[in-house]
Amino acid sequence: ASDAWMLPENQLADEVKCAILTAQRFPLNVTPFKAIGALSQTTNAHNDTYNETCIQAINESGGILVSVAFDGLSTERAFIVDKLLHFLRGNSRLIGVVDPNHVGKAIISQLVLGGNFVTAGKQCFDVGLLKMAGISANLYRVQDYTSNAVVLEMCSSKSIKKLLSNENLGKKTVDW
């Protein structure tokens, strides 16, 4: 096996890519999650060998892997598409998908950065509504667009209720 994917000895990893299994059925008081692998790497590094090795390890253990989810970064795009096409052609029971938290991050980017007009029903979304609804500025003045915590809080029922109960919803917002 090649060590070409390993970081130099004195270099700390920018991030750690983890392989986590989630069980659909599990006993009471037993976690449904199991870490099966971790790879230290530079930011957004491409490593299909690691991805394939994790899948192969599960298959060889007798497990049945149903889907794999990734951040959806461009470095993972080809891998996800390949797994999805194999599934759609009937050549595999494994489906590749984008992590729902990453989809949430993309939605927040659209809402906050205004790349497109965003509507909710008949209402046009304006980032000013977040401020008027009392949503934390840390959620719409995002410092870390990779943070799952930001997505989970922005999409939480608490934040949604604040927006829906805002008296300014449906009115023209003012510049701030």
Side-chain angles (χ1 to χ4, degrees), residues 87-103:
F87 175 80
L88 292 172
R89 291 179 180 136
N91 299 328
S92 173
R93 8 173 230 205
L94 174 67
I95 188 168
V97 296
V98 176
D99 174 28
N101 284 335
H102 182 75
V103 174

Side-chain angles (χ1 to χ4, degrees), residues 19-23 31-36 54 58 61 64-65 67:
I20 309 290
L21 284 179
T22 306
T31 180
F33 306 106
K34 176 104 176 145
I36 63 161
C54 291
I58 295 162
S61 73
I64 299 172
L65 190 60
S67 68

Side-chain angles (χ1 to χ4, degrees), residues 27 35 39 58 153 165:
L39 174 68
I58 295 162
E153 189 172 343
S165 64

Side-chain angles (χ1 to χ4, degrees), residues 111 116-125:
L111 292 175
N116 294 311
F117 284 108
V118 179
T119 60
K122 295 180 182 179
Q123 305 301 322
C124 184
F125 182 86

Side-chain angles (χ1 to χ4, degrees), residues 127-152:
V127 73
L129 288 172
L130 297 171
K131 182 177 182 181
M132 287 187 252
I135 303 292
S136 170
N138 293 332
L139 298 181
Y140 56 86
R141 291 188 182 147
V142 180
Q143 299 297 314
D144 180 4
Y145 280 93
T146 63
S147 171
N148 286 337
V150 171
V151 172
L152 296 173

